[in-house]
Amino acid sequence: MDGRVADHAPTDHRGDAAVPHPLVAAHDLSLVFDAADGPVHALSEVNLSIARHDFVSLIGPSGCGKTTLLRVIADLVKPTGGSILVDGGTPEQARLDRSYGYVFQAPALYPWRSVRRNVELPLEIMGLPAARRRDSARAALATVGLDGFENKFPWQLSGGMQQRVSIARALGFEPELLLMDEPFGALDEITRDGLNMHLHELWKRTRLTVIFVTHSIPEAVFLSTHIVVMSPRPGRITQVIENTLPRDRELDMRETPDFLQIAHQVREGLRAGHSYDGATGPT
Amino acid sequence: MTELAVPATRLRTPPAGASLARQLVRGRTLPTLTVLAAIIVIWFAGAVYLNAPRTIEAFERQEIAWTFGQLVEATWSMERPVLPTPAQVFADIWANTVERSVTSRRSLVFHAWVTFSSTAVGFLIGSALGVLIAVGMVHVRTLDRSLMPWVIASQAVPILAIAPMIVVVLGNIGLTGLVPKAIISAYLSFFPVTIGMVKGLRAPDPLQLDLMRTYSADRAQVFWKLRWPASVPFLFPSLKVGIALALVGAIVGELPTGAQAGLGARLLTGSYFGQTVQLWSALIMAALLALVCILLVTLAERLVLAARGTPP
């Protein structure tokens, strides 16, 4: 670990209109867990810059630290070295400002709340009046194509619909940044294709910045403007691939030579990081 | 079209008799009634067996040549039997509930009400205390470490040993009647509520808690919007155990006080004066009261869970 832990005071660069600063900037970021059998280097010297309105996928095998990196950005864990800025401030400041929405691997809906009240949960916590909560929730549910399901309860919906509710919940308070941790990992491929298309349309329409953790190469290539290839032991970034595909995409594109070319590049990147070697990880 | 619709609906709805028969076969009614019938048969037989020695003694004293039929008849109609028959107990209950004014000192409804009121007060105090202790243990690390052994130790002490002390101590500071009994009830009923709620308040999974953190929710919001609603399915089973224990506490509280009212007092006087029929009818009333208490909690549970949209 180097000694740069608290170098960055939460300075506000927001007045700097001339140089548009990146939304997320990590510098030599590292994170070491103390496990029973010695320290685990979950993240090691991660340098990454994410511009506004980008769609960035983090891809790599289990244990490469992609979820950990997302959790550091969300201030759900603290890094042990290096620095990270989110929207010009510390991740904690960004969390307190509610500048990101987080979508987990599982929908994590509250089963005692109806769909509408699940989407209203963050708005309640922010103290919005009931009428505005209701309007925002309705709009967010319409965005994910779930109008008319307001009064259903989570157990009445399919897995794909539940995950769409959780996306609506993250969108309801209009954050600038959407953090998604393998949101479609537990879904079947047909549902997943549909949701990928949906998410792509949503991103194009809203100009959100999305950081998207995935295991799937086609998913990463289809959705992203940039693909960050990561590798395990220690968790690090081995390559950042810029996606040259046009911004407007259709599912059919996944069979075109251009698409396959980029997918090949990602696969090569994973191979170069020895991601295919000890592929006998814990999961 | 209405003319057609009416017979169609009639066809689909089976006649009342058929549905009752189906209910008997498929539901819990028939098994429950079978067990009841078995209990009654064994009870009548037991009455003959247990009352026979004294009856035979009486026959022999009066030098009567008795038959088995006479023996059975006599054992089933003793004034102070070792074991009264279900018929005697039922007749006593009937006489002291339906046929007696509830204001009478011999009315079982009156005694059941006295016991129920201290059960209810004790149950409410105990449940509130149980929830408070659980909330403290979940939120304050020191309480979590220090309190649990005492909570468990409190239940290891036999209530029969503590009840007279509570009654005497409170009697000295002028508290008699309902209050000491309610405190004994509370002492018993807080325990299951504490145990259930500690588990319930810790039921939210890490993702549900992380979600709250991403919203920068404060502790009160995490409690009211996540921990408390997540604990409700754990609360009601605890309350059912709690109210049954509260009833036991109220009855035990009536035993050492020389109380004039309450099912516990009926049990005590019944056993003092060998009034076994009175003893058994008080026992059966206590069992029925327990059933009513549990049904009340179950009803509250159904209403709350239905309002939360829980799957049927």
Side-chain angles (χ1 to χ4, degrees), chain A residues 206-228:
Chain A
T206 56
R207 308 265 294 148
L208 272 166
T209 311
V210 184
I211 307 178
F212 186 89
V213 167
T214 181
H215 271 121
S216 155
I217 297 173
E219 191 171 67
V221 176
F222 176 73
L223 289 168
S224 320
T225 57
H226 297 80
I227 300 153
V228 176

Side-chain angles (χ1 to χ4, degrees), chain A residues 22-34:
Chain A
L23 188 57
V24 176
H27 183 67
D28 280 351
L29 192 72
S30 62
L31 195 144
V32 184
F33 291 117
D34 280 320

Side-chain angles (χ1 to χ4, degrees), chain A residues 23-74:
Chain A
L23 188 57
V24 176
H27 183 67
D28 280 351
L29 192 72
S30 62
L31 195 144
V32 184
F33 291 117
D34 280 320
D37 50 352
V40 176
H41 293 265
L43 290 174
S44 173
E45 301 192 348
V46 166
N47 288 290
L48 181 66
S49 174
I50 294 172
R52 279 165 212 278
H53 315 310
D54 272 359
F55 194 117
V56 178
S57 286
L58 310 178
I59 191 168
S62 298
C64 73
K66 50 196 194 303
T67 294
T68 308
L69 179 54
L70 204 67
R71 290 174 67 84
V72 168
I73 296 169

Side-chain angles (χ1 to χ4, degrees), chain A residues 119-177:
Chain A
V119 177
E120 284 186 14
L121 176 69
L123 309 168
E124 274 175 34
I125 288 166
M126 289 166 200
L128 263 63
R132 275 194 60 198
R133 291 205 303 261
R134 198 171 283 244
D135 290 346
S136 300
R138 187 167 295 141
L141 282 167
T143 311
V144 297
L146 280 179
D147 5 25
F149 288 89
E150 282 88 350
N151 294 321
K152 297 272 187 233
F153 280 87
W155 60 272
Q156 295 171 302
L157 306 182
S158 68
M161 287 162 97
Q162 289 184 17
Q163 197 54 289
R164 269 147 76 189
V165 174
S166 92
I167 294 171
R169 183 178 57 187
L171 294 174
F173 55 100
E174 295 171 10
E176 198 177 358
L177 177 61

Side-chain angles (χ1 to χ4, degrees), chain B residues 182-220:
Chain B
I183 286 175
I184 294 165
S185 288
Y187 183 88
L188 285 182
S189 63
F190 91 93
F191 181 69
V193 178
T194 298
I195 299 296
M197 284 303 278
V198 166
K199 192 158 174 57
L201 293 170
R202 291 199 170 128
D205 64 46
L207 283 192
Q208 291 175 326
L209 284 163
D210 275 348
L211 187 71
M212 279 296 186
R213 188 170 155 83
T214 70
Y215 302 145
S216 306
D218 59 37
R219 284 182 89 162

Side-chain angles (χ1 to χ4, degrees), chain A:
Chain A
M1 248 186 298
D2 53 32
R4 272 172 276 189
V5 184
D7 271 359
H8 285 265
T11 41
D12 195 350
H13 300 287
R14 267 168 258 204
D16 253 351
V19 195
H21 63 83
L23 188 57
V24 176
H27 183 67
D28 280 351
L29 192 72
S30 62
L31 195 144
V32 184
F33 291 117
D34 280 320
D37 50 352
V40 176
H41 293 265
L43 290 174
S44 173
E45 301 192 348
V46 166
N47 288 290
L48 181 66
S49 174
I50 294 172
R52 279 165 212 278
H53 315 310
D54 272 359
F55 194 117
V56 178
S57 286
L58 310 178
I59 191 168
S62 298
C64 73
K66 50 196 194 303
T67 294
T68 308
L69 179 54
L70 204 67
R71 290 174 67 84
V72 168
I73 296 169
D75 190 40
L76 294 175
V77 279
K78 302 272 186 212
T80 51
S83 70
I84 179 159
L85 290 177
V86 180
D87 201 13
T90 60
E92 186 180 9
Q93 194 54 49
R95 177 172 63 82
L96 293 173
D97 289 345
R98 280 119 180 181
S99 40
Y100 68 81
Y102 201 110
V103 178
F104 294 93
Q105 280 167 334
L109 300 176
Y110 291 2
W112 54 87
R113 283 176 170 251
S114 67
V115 164
R116 175 175 64 77
R117 295 200 57 237
N118 262 291
V119 177
E120 284 186 14
L121 176 69
L123 309 168
E124 274 175 34
I125 288 166
M126 289 166 200
L128 263 63
R132 275 194 60 198
R133 291 205 303 261
R134 198 171 283 244
D135 290 346
S136 300
R138 187 167 295 141
L141 282 167
T143 311
V144 297
L146 280 179
D147 5 25
F149 288 89
E150 282 88 350
N151 294 321
K152 297 272 187 233
F153 280 87
W155 60 272
Q156 295 171 302
L157 306 182
S158 68
M161 287 162 97
Q162 289 184 17
Q163 197 54 289
R164 269 147 76 189
V165 174
S166 92
I167 294 171
R169 183 178 57 187
L171 294 174
F173 55 100
E174 295 171 10
E176 198 177 358
L177 177 61
L178 191 58
L179 305 175
M180 305 182 90
D181 183 8
E182 286 184 57
F184 311 137
L187 304 175
D188 65 85
E189 200 163 341
I190 299 163
T191 311
R192 194 171 180 152
D193 277 357
L195 288 177
N196 278 341
M197 197 60 224
H198 220 98
L199 179 60
H200 175 67
E201 296 291 337
L202 177 77
W203 169 73
K204 272 194 306 187
R205 197 165 62 234
T206 56
R207 308 265 294 148
L208 272 166
T209 311
V210 184
I211 307 178
F212 186 89
V213 167
T214 181
H215 271 121
S216 155
I217 297 173
E219 191 171 67
V221 176
F222 176 73
L223 289 168
S224 320
T225 57
H226 297 80
I227 300 153
V228 176
V229 181
M230 297 183 73
S231 138
R233 286 172 292 274
R236 63 195 188 281
I237 292 174
T238 51
Q239 206 179 348
V240 179
I241 296 166
E242 192 168 347
N243 195 338
T244 50
L245 291 173
R247 265 182 104 86
D248 285 320
R249 296 173 195 175
E250 295 296 333
L251 286 170
D252 297 346
M253 257 184 169
R254 293 178 301 182
E255 276 113 57
T256 62
D258 286 351
F259 187 97
L260 295 173
Q261 166 61 30
I262 295 163
H264 176 74
Q265 242 180 298
V266 175
R267 199 166 283 116
E268 284 302 311
L270 288 167
R271 188 166 292 137
H274 302 287
S275 293
Y276 292 109
D277 294 353
T280 49
T283 39

Side-chain angles (χ1 to χ4, degrees), chain B residues 174-186:
Chain B
L175 290 171
T176 52
L178 187 141
V179 177
K181 290 192 288 172
I183 286 175
I184 294 165
S185 288

